[in-house]
Amino acid sequence: MIFSPSRPGIYARGTETVDQILKAALAVLIDEGSDAFTLRRIAARCDMKVGNVSYHFPRKEMLIQVMLDELVDSYGAMMDKTVRRPGLTAEERLRRVIILCLDDIQTKRTTHLFTELWALANHSDFVADRVRVFYERVHGAIGEYVAELNPALSADEVHSVALFISASMEGSTPFLGHGKPWAHKMPAFTALAATSLVHLAKTVTSRDLAGLMAQTA
Amino acid sequence: MIFSPSRPGIYARGTETVDQILKAALAVLIDEGSDAFTLRRIAARCDMKVGNVSYHFPRKEMLIQVMLDELVDSYGAMMDKTVRRPGLTAEERLRRVIILCLDDIQTKRTTHLFTELWALANHSDFVADRVRVFYERVHGAIGEYVAELNPALSADEVHSVALFISASMEGSTPFLGHGKPWAHKMPAFTALAATSLVHLAKTVTSRDLAGLMAQTA
Amino acid sequence: MIFSPSRPGIYARGTETVDQILKAALAVLIDEGSDAFTLRRIAARCDMKVGNVSYHFPRKEMLIQVMLDELVDSYGAMMDKTVRRPGLTAEERLRRVIILCLDDIQTKRTTHLFTELWALANHSDFVADRVRVFYERVHGAIGEYVAELNPALSADEVHSVALFISASMEGSTPFLGHGKPWAHKMPAFTALAATSLVHLAKTVTSRDLAGLMAQTA
Amino acid sequence: MIFSPSRPGIYARGTETVDQILKAALAVLIDEGSDAFTLRRIAARCDMKVGNVSYHFPRKEMLIQVMLDELVDSYGAMMDKTVRRPGLTAEERLRRVIILCLDDIQTKRTTHLFTELWALANHSDFVADRVRVFYERVHGAIGEYVAELNPALSADEVHSVALFISASMEGSTPFLGHGKPWAHKMPAFTALAATSLVHLAKTVTSRDLAGLMAQTA
DNA sequence: AATGAATGAGCGTTCATTCAT
DNA sequence: TATGAATGAACGCTCATTCAT
C-alpha cells in the first residue's frame, strides 16, 4: 500500500486521487487561467482520464467549491500562523501583516489566483462569497491592530481603515505582482506601505473618514 | 499595422458595423464575463450573424486587440479631460484624480472590466501590454503632482509613490467596486484615501522608500 | 447548382440538407431504434458531421419535433389520398381504410415507427401529443363511415366504435407487422378484419356499448 | 443455461439481492422508460451501488434476459390462475379473458411495459422471442375457447381468429391504456369488445378467413 | 458479497473558423 | 458587405464495464 490512509474514505487511493485532482485544478487555474480550467486539462495535469475526475467530482461546480474552500482555509491558516505570535506589539504585528501580504502577492500563485478570483466573483455568487469570507478574516485581523493602535475609532471606522490598508496592499497585485510590469519595485513599495499604513493606523481620525459626499462630475 | 494588408480599410474605426461589434463585445465582457466572451454572444448583442463578426475580425484575437486599444484610449481621454484643468493647485489636482478614480471604480463598467483585464493579463501578453500602457499614463499623471508637491524626491521615488497611490485606489475594486461586498463604504473610503494619500504625497521622504530588504519567512 | 431552390431559405443547399437530416433521422429510428437515435448516428447516415446537424437543429428536441410533424402530416396525407375517392359507398370506403391500414402495418417503416412512438409517448408529452393528433384524424375518418352505416349511434358511440376498429387494426402491429412472428398470416387477418369490422360497424347497437361496469377482480 | 458457469448459484432466483435488482429494474423500465434503463438508475432504485449490480449481472443483457423471463412467467401465471376456473362455459371463459386483458391493459405496468417490449422487440431477438412465447400462450388459451365455440374451424383458422381477438385487445393499449388519450372510454370499449369478439368467435366461418389476396395500390 | 476506483466510448452542445454565395 | 453552411475540436457529463479491495 503506497498511500497512507490518513483521510476519510475507505480506500487510501481515493482520497489521494482527490488531492491530486485538487492540486492539478489549482495548478491549471494558476498556470493557464480560467479559460483553460477544463476537466480535460485538469485530468491531463494529474495523469488521469476525464471520467475519473468526473467520478470524484460529479459536477465541475463541486470541484470548484471544494478547491476554493480548501484554498481559503489554507490562506487563512497561513495568515494566522505567521501573524499571531506572542510578545509582539500591535504596531509590530500590523507591520508584519503588511510585509507578509506583500511578500505573498509576489508569488505567482497569489498574483494569478486572486486576479482570477476577483474576475470570477463578478459572475459567480459562490466565488464572490468565498472571496468575501476570506477578506472578512483578513480585515478582521488588521482591524484588531488598528483598534489597539487607535482606540478612539468606532468599530465601523476601524473597519474602514482596515479596508483601506488591505486595499492598498491588494492593489499592488496587478502592478507589482508576479510577472507584472513593476514587480522589481516591490521592495520600495513594501517599505512605503509598511511605514505609511502603520502611520495611518495610528494617526487617522474620525474626521478623516467623514468627508463630504465625494463627487466630482 | 497588425492586420493583413489584403483587407485594407476594414479597421477604419469610424465604420458603423465595426463600431457596433466593438461596443457589443465590450458589453458582453462587462455584463457576462470573459467566459461568455464568444463571437456568438457578441454577434447576438449587435443583431448580427457570427459570420459577419468573423468577416470584420478574421481572428478573435484581433477583435480583442482593437477593443482594448480603443478602451485604453477612451479611459486615458477621460482622465485627461477631467484632470488637466487650468487654475488648480497640484494638491487639488491630485485630490481630484483620487476622487475621479474612486468614483469610476464604482461603475459596473470599470469594476468588471479591470478585474477581467488583470486576470487576462496573466496569460496574454497583449492584454498585459495594454494594461501596462494605460497605467503608465495614470502613474505619469499622478507622478506629476507628486513631484510638484514633493520636489525632494527623485524621479524613481516619485514613481514609487505614484504606484502606491494608484494601488491604494485600484485595490478598492474587489472590495468596494460595483456589486462588491463593501460597496456601501465607498464614501468613507474615498474621504480617507483623499486625505491620507495627499498627505503621503506631501510628506513622504526618501527614507520611507528605502526600508531594509523586506522579508519575513 | 445541383439542388432546386423550391423550398424556403436563401440557399438551396440548406433546405436540401435539412431534408437529408430528417430522412436520415427517420431511417435511424426505424432501422436501429430509439436507443440508437443519436446525432452522431444520424449524421453518419447522411454523411455529415455532428456539428452540421447541430447547426440546422440547435436542439435535438427540435429535430424530433420537425421529424414527427412531417411524419404525421405524411401519414395523414397518405390516408386522405387513398381513401377519399369519389363514387364509393361508405361500406366500401371503410373496407378500403382497413385494407390500407393493414397493408401499411406490414411495412418495416410503419411497424417499427409506431411501436417506437407508442413507447416514447409514455414519457414524452410531445410525442404523446403528435400520436394523439394523428389518431384523432384516423378515428375521425373511420367515424364518418361508421356514422353513415349506422345512423342510430350517437357521436360518442360512433367514436367508441371507431376506436375499436382502429385498435383491432393497430393491435396487429406487434403480431403480424414487419418481421413479427405471425407476419405470414396477415392475409387471413386482413380478410377477417375487413369482414368482421365492417359487419360490426353496420350492426353494433347502443346496447353493445353500454355493458355493466366491466370488472373481474 | 445461458450464464457463465464460473459463478454458479448467483442466478438462483430466490436470492434477496438479485430479486431486489430485478424488481428495481422493472420499476425503472415502467416508470422512466427504456431511455432511463441504466445500471445507475436501477442501482439507485434499490439502494445499491452500480458495481454490485454489475457483480450480479456481469452483462446488462443478462439482467434484461432474467427480468423478461420472470416477467413472462408472472404474466402467464396470472392468466392461468384467473382464467382456468372449473365450471365455466367456453363462452364465459372467453369473455373473462377479454375483460381480464382489458382491465390489465389499464394498469401503468402493462401499458408501459408492453409498449416498451414491442419497441425493443424490433431490434432485440431475445426480447422478440420472449414476447412471442408470451403471446403464444395467450393465443393458445384464446384458441381453446374459440375451437370449442366454433368446432368447424381448422386449427390454423382457430389461430387466426385468436390472433384477431388478441390484436383487438392489445391494440387498445396505445389508445385507452394508462395515461393514454382515451383511457376514459375503456368501459365502452370493454363492453363492445366482449360482445363483438365473443360473437365473432361463435359465428366466424372459414370463408371469412379466405378473402382475396388483400391488396390496394 | 459488495464497493470504490478507474477507464474508454459516447452523448448533446458550443466554439472559432472557413468558404461559397 | 453580409450570411448560410459546414467543419473539427473541445466542452461537461453519463454510460457499461473491469478490477482491486
Side-chain angles (χ1 to χ4, degrees):
Chain A
M1 185 181 301
I2 312 181
F3 308 109
S4 77
S6 61
R7 289 280 204 109
I10 292 183
Y11 303 119
R13 282 187 70 198
T15 76
E16 175 68 17
T17 301
V18 165
D19 283 349
Q20 283 179 264
I21 293 171
L22 289 169
K23 195 176 161 189
L26 202 58
V28 169
L29 184 57
I30 291 169
D31 290 344
E32 311 182 51
S34 64
D35 264 23
F37 192 77
T38 71
L39 295 192
R40 276 165 175 78
R41 296 215 208 194
I42 293 167
R45 190 114 185 178
C46 51
D47 274 317
M48 291 181 197
K49 308 297 177 179
V50 207
N52 201 26
V53 177
S54 268
Y55 169 73
H56 289 284
F57 297 95
R59 306 284 143 198
K60 191 187 181 185
E61 196 184 37
M62 295 180 186
L63 168 56
I64 298 175
Q65 294 189 0
V66 174
M67 190 187 78
L68 283 193
D69 280 339
E70 295 207 352
L71 187 73
V72 166
D73 281 356
S74 82
Y75 268 96
M78 179 182 73
M79 207 185 56
D80 289 355
K81 193 174 56 182
T82 317
V83 169
R84 299 188 189 283
R85 290 195 189 159
L88 291 177
T89 65
E91 176 171 340
E92 184 53 28
R93 279 181 175 150
L94 179 56
R95 182 180 305 275
R96 286 195 177 221
V97 170
I98 293 167
I99 292 170
L100 167 72
C101 286
L102 293 175
D103 270 7
D104 185 61
I105 282 171
Q106 290 180 97
T107 63
K108 180 180 180 185
R109 177 189 167 96
T110 293
T111 296
H112 285 202
L113 216 41
F114 280 80
T115 45
E116 295 289 351
L117 294 182
W118 297 340
L120 292 173
N122 289 335
H123 302 100
S124 159
D125 288 345
F126 177 78
V127 175
D129 190 64
R130 290 297 88 190
V131 169
R132 181 185 54 77
V133 164
F134 170 67
Y135 282 117
E136 275 174 354
R137 202 162 167 175
V138 173
H139 301 163
I142 294 174
E144 280 185 36
Y145 312 136
V146 172
E148 200 170 339
L149 291 171
N150 202 329
L153 297 177
S154 72
D156 184 66
E157 288 165 342
V158 163
H159 184 230
S160 293
V161 174
L163 265 175
F164 182 81
I165 293 173
S166 183
S168 292
M169 298 187 297
E170 299 298 318
S172 72
T173 307
F175 298 160
L176 308 101
H178 174 89
K180 298 300 177 182
W182 302 282
H184 62 284
K185 301 201 77 176
M186 190 53 113
F189 187 95
T190 302
L192 182 53
T195 305
S196 73
L197 294 176
V198 169
H199 178 257
L200 173 77
K202 292 197 289 189
T203 61
V204 64
T205 66
S206 299
R207 204 176 189 201
D208 298 328
L209 288 154
L212 303 174
M213 265 293 135
Q215 290 294 352
T216 40
Chain B
M1 187 177 302
I2 346 176
F3 306 109
S4 139
S6 67
R7 281 177 180 164
I10 282 185
Y11 304 94
R13 302 230 175 140
T15 304
E16 175 79 15
T17 303
V18 168
D19 281 353
Q20 281 180 282
I21 293 171
L22 290 170
K23 194 177 163 188
L26 200 59
V28 168
L29 184 58
I30 291 168
D31 290 343
E32 312 183 49
S34 64
D35 262 25
F37 192 76
T38 69
L39 297 192
R40 273 160 178 74
R41 299 214 205 194
I42 293 166
R45 192 117 186 175
C46 53
D47 279 317
M48 293 181 193
K49 308 296 177 181
V50 206
N52 201 23
V53 178
S54 259
Y55 169 72
H56 288 284
F57 297 96
R59 303 283 141 203
K60 192 185 179 183
E61 196 184 33
M62 293 181 184
L63 192 156
I64 297 175
Q65 295 186 358
V66 176
M67 188 186 79
L68 281 196
D69 279 337
E70 295 209 349
L71 186 73
V72 166
D73 282 358
S74 81
Y75 266 96
M78 180 183 72
M79 207 185 57
D80 289 355
K81 192 174 58 183
T82 317
V83 169
R84 300 189 187 281
R85 291 192 189 161
L88 292 177
T89 64
E91 176 173 338
E92 185 52 29
R93 279 180 174 152
L94 178 56
R95 181 180 307 273
R96 288 196 176 219
V97 170
I98 292 168
I99 291 169
L100 166 71
C101 286
L102 293 176
D103 271 6
D104 186 59
I105 281 172
Q106 291 179 97
T107 63
K108 181 180 180 185
R109 176 188 168 96
T110 293
T111 296
H112 285 200
L113 214 43
F114 279 81
T115 46
E116 295 289 352
L117 294 182
W118 295 341
L120 292 173
N122 289 334
H123 305 100
S124 159
D125 288 345
F126 178 80
V127 175
D129 190 63
R130 290 297 88 192
V131 169
R132 181 184 56 77
V133 164
F134 170 68
Y135 282 117
E136 275 174 353
R137 201 161 167 177
V138 174
H139 300 163
I142 294 174
E144 281 185 34
Y145 313 136
V146 172
E148 200 170 339
L149 290 170
N150 202 330
L153 298 176
S154 71
D156 183 66
E157 288 164 343
V158 163
H159 183 229
S160 293
V161 174
L163 265 176
F164 182 82
I165 292 173
S166 183
S168 291
M169 299 187 297
E170 299 298 317
S172 71
T173 308
F175 297 160
L176 310 99
H178 174 88
K180 299 300 179 184
W182 302 282
H184 62 284
K185 301 201 78 176
M186 191 54 113
F189 188 95
T190 302
L192 183 53
T195 304
S196 73
L197 294 176
V198 168
H199 174 78
L200 173 76
K202 292 196 292 189
T203 62
V204 65
T205 66
S206 300
R207 203 178 189 200
D208 298 327
L209 289 155
L212 304 173
M213 264 293 135
Q215 291 295 350
T216 41
Chain C
M1 185 180 302
I2 312 181
F3 307 110
S4 77
S6 61
R7 289 280 202 107
I10 293 183
Y11 303 118
R13 281 187 71 198
T15 75
E16 175 68 17
T17 301
V18 165
D19 283 350
Q20 283 180 263
I21 293 171
L22 289 168
K23 195 177 162 190
L26 202 58
V28 168
L29 184 57
I30 291 169
D31 290 343
E32 311 182 51
S34 64
D35 265 23
F37 192 76
T38 71
L39 295 192
R40 278 166 175 76
R41 296 216 208 192
I42 293 167
R45 190 114 185 177
C46 51
D47 274 317
M48 291 180 195
K49 309 297 177 179
V50 207
N52 201 25
V53 177
S54 266
Y55 168 72
H56 289 285
F57 296 96
R59 305 285 143 199
K60 191 187 182 185
E61 196 184 37
M62 295 180 186
L63 168 55
I64 298 175
Q65 294 189 359
V66 174
M67 190 187 78
L68 283 194
D69 279 339
E70 295 207 352
L71 188 72
V72 166
D73 281 357
S74 83
Y75 268 96
M78 179 183 72
M79 207 185 56
D80 289 355
K81 193 174 57 183
T82 317
V83 169
R84 301 188 187 279
R85 292 196 188 155
L88 292 177
T89 65
E91 177 171 339
E92 185 53 30
R93 280 181 174 150
L94 179 55
R95 182 180 306 276
R96 287 197 176 219
V97 169
I98 293 168
I99 291 170
L100 167 71
C101 285
L102 292 175
D103 270 7
D104 185 61
I105 282 171
Q106 291 179 98
T107 63
K108 181 180 181 185
R109 175 188 167 97
T110 292
T111 296
H112 285 202
L113 216 41
F114 280 81
T115 45
E116 294 290 350
L117 294 181
W118 296 340
L120 292 173
N122 289 334
H123 302 100
S124 159
D125 288 345
F126 177 78
V127 175
D129 190 65
R130 290 297 89 192
V131 169
R132 180 184 56 76
V133 164
F134 170 67
Y135 282 117
E136 274 175 355
R137 201 162 168 175
V138 173
H139 300 163
I142 294 174
E144 280 185 36
Y145 312 136
V146 172
E148 199 171 340
L149 291 171
N150 201 330
L153 298 176
S154 72
D156 183 65
E157 288 165 343
V158 163
H159 183 230
S160 293
V161 173
L163 264 176
F164 182 82
I165 293 172
S166 183
S168 292
M169 300 186 297
E170 299 299 317
S172 72
T173 308
F175 298 159
L176 310 99
H178 174 87
K180 299 299 177 185
W182 303 283
H184 61 285
K185 301 202 77 175
M186 191 53 113
F189 187 96
T190 302
L192 182 53
T195 306
S196 73
L197 294 176
V198 168
H199 178 258
L200 174 76
K202 292 197 291 190
T203 62
V204 65
T205 67
S206 300
R207 205 180 189 197
D208 298 328
L209 289 154
L212 304 175
M213 265 293 135
Q215 290 295 350
T216 42
Chain D
M1 187 177 303
I2 349 176
F3 306 109
S4 140
S6 67
R7 281 180 182 162
I10 282 184
Y11 304 93
R13 303 229 175 141
T15 303
E16 176 79 13
T17 303
V18 168
D19 282 353
Q20 281 181 280
I21 293 172
L22 291 169
K23 194 176 162 189
L26 199 60
V28 168
L29 184 57
I30 292 168
D31 290 342
E32 311 183 50
S34 64
D35 261 25
F37 192 75
T38 70
L39 296 193
R40 273 161 178 73
R41 299 213 204 193
I42 293 167
R45 192 117 184 175
C46 53
D47 278 319
M48 292 181 194
K49 307 296 177 181
V50 207
N52 202 23
V53 178
S54 259
Y55 169 72
H56 288 284
F57 297 95
R59 303 284 141 202
K60 192 185 179 183
E61 197 185 32
M62 294 181 183
L63 193 157
I64 298 174
Q65 295 186 357
V66 176
M67 188 186 79
L68 281 195
D69 278 338
E70 295 209 351
L71 186 73
V72 166
D73 282 356
S74 82
Y75 266 96
M78 180 183 72
M79 205 185 58
D80 289 356
K81 193 174 57 181
T82 316
V83 169
R84 300 189 187 282
R85 291 193 188 161
L88 292 177
T89 64
E91 176 171 339
E92 185 53 28
R93 280 182 175 150
L94 179 55
R95 182 181 304 275
R96 287 196 176 220
V97 170
I98 292 168
I99 291 170
L100 168 70
C101 284
L102 293 176
D103 270 5
D104 186 60
I105 281 171
Q106 290 179 97
T107 63
K108 181 180 179 184
R109 177 186 167 96
T110 293
T111 296
H112 285 202
L113 215 42
F114 279 82
T115 45
E116 294 290 351
L117 294 182
W118 295 341
L120 292 173
N122 289 335
H123 305 100
S124 159
D125 288 345
F126 178 80
V127 175
D129 190 63
R130 290 297 88 190
V131 169
R132 180 183 56 76
V133 164
F134 170 68
Y135 282 117
E136 275 174 353
R137 201 161 168 177
V138 174
H139 301 163
I142 294 174
E144 281 184 36
Y145 313 136
V146 172
E148 200 171 337
L149 290 171
N150 202 330
L153 299 176
S154 72
D156 184 65
E157 287 164 344
V158 163
H159 184 229
S160 293
V161 174
L163 265 176
F164 182 81
I165 293 172
S166 183
S168 291
M169 298 187 298
E170 298 299 317
S172 72
T173 307
F175 296 161
L176 309 99
H178 174 88
K180 298 300 179 183
W182 302 283
H184 62 285
K185 301 202 78 177
M186 191 53 113
F189 188 95
T190 302
L192 183 53
T195 304
S196 73
L197 293 176
V198 168
H199 175 78
L200 173 77
K202 292 197 290 188
T203 60
V204 64
T205 66
S206 298
R207 202 177 190 200
D208 297 328
L209 289 155
L212 307 173
M213 265 293 135
Q215 291 294 353
T216 42

